[in-house]
Amino acid sequence: METMTEFLSSLGVVIYEDGRRRWPDEVKARVVAETLLPGATVNSVAAKYELRPNHLSEWRRLARDGKLVLPALDDEPSFAPLVLCASERVPAVPEDTMSAERIEIVSGAVLLRLDAATSATRVAEIVRALGAPA
């Protein structure tokens, strides 16, 4: 089993003989990004890396101030369940204009028709912009 020193060294953290550590900005940013994941807390992430929570909070302040650039979070688009139902608020579309080559998104009284070639990433962005739960 890997020790904490080996683990941190593998990340690029320099550990001096007196116990001090020098954290590269990329590693700091990655640790800060972990605190932004759902359910994560500063205390739990700090404990994982054997950091003091106030030290990690300082890194978060640097990120808020734009002095520490965070990596993109793994926010891959995911598929949402599709529910088909009749709705009186959405106008009926004549059969001859219907096409299997379309994606339709209904949000309240809004009906969006997208080309079937629209990427899954773009569809996910549109759904998020409409305020659908993730």
Side-chain angles (χ1 to χ4, degrees):
M1 188 158 117
E2 190 175 45
T3 66
M4 181 55 72
T5 301
E6 293 169 336
F7 170 67
L8 293 176
S9 294
S10 71
L11 295 176
V13 177
V14 178
I15 303 172
Y16 297 100
E17 287 184 21
D18 63 1
R20 290 179 300 121
R21 299 175 183 167
R22 185 174 185 289
W23 297 76
D25 285 345
E26 299 81 29
V27 178
K28 288 179 187 178
R30 192 169 122 197
V31 173
V32 170
E34 283 187 40
T35 67
L36 303 176
L37 295 173
T41 63
V42 169
N43 286 337
S44 66
V45 175
K48 176 181 174 182
Y49 292 96
E50 293 184 354
L51 279 167
R52 288 183 305 229
N54 63 331
H55 205 102
L56 182 50
S57 293
E58 175 63 18
W59 294 351
R60 287 171 50 107
R61 187 191 59 73
L62 290 173
R64 274 192 307 272
D65 292 346
K67 296 177 183 171
L68 187 64
V69 179
L70 300 184
L73 296 175
D74 292 333
D75 193 13
E76 304 254 336
S78 58
F79 291 97
L82 176 64
V83 178
L84 299 176
C85 61
S87 173
E88 295 176 21
R89 294 186 286 175
V90 178
V93 177
E95 289 270 336
D96 58 344
T97 62
M98 294 290 285
S99 170
E101 302 296 319
R102 287 198 178 147
I103 300 169
E104 292 187 353
I105 300 174
V106 179
S107 177
V110 176
L111 170 63
L112 295 173
R113 290 191 182 104
L114 306 172
D115 184 82
T118 305
S119 71
T121 301
R122 184 67 181 139
V123 172
E125 290 170 349
I126 292 168
V127 170
R128 280 192 200 104
L130 290 171

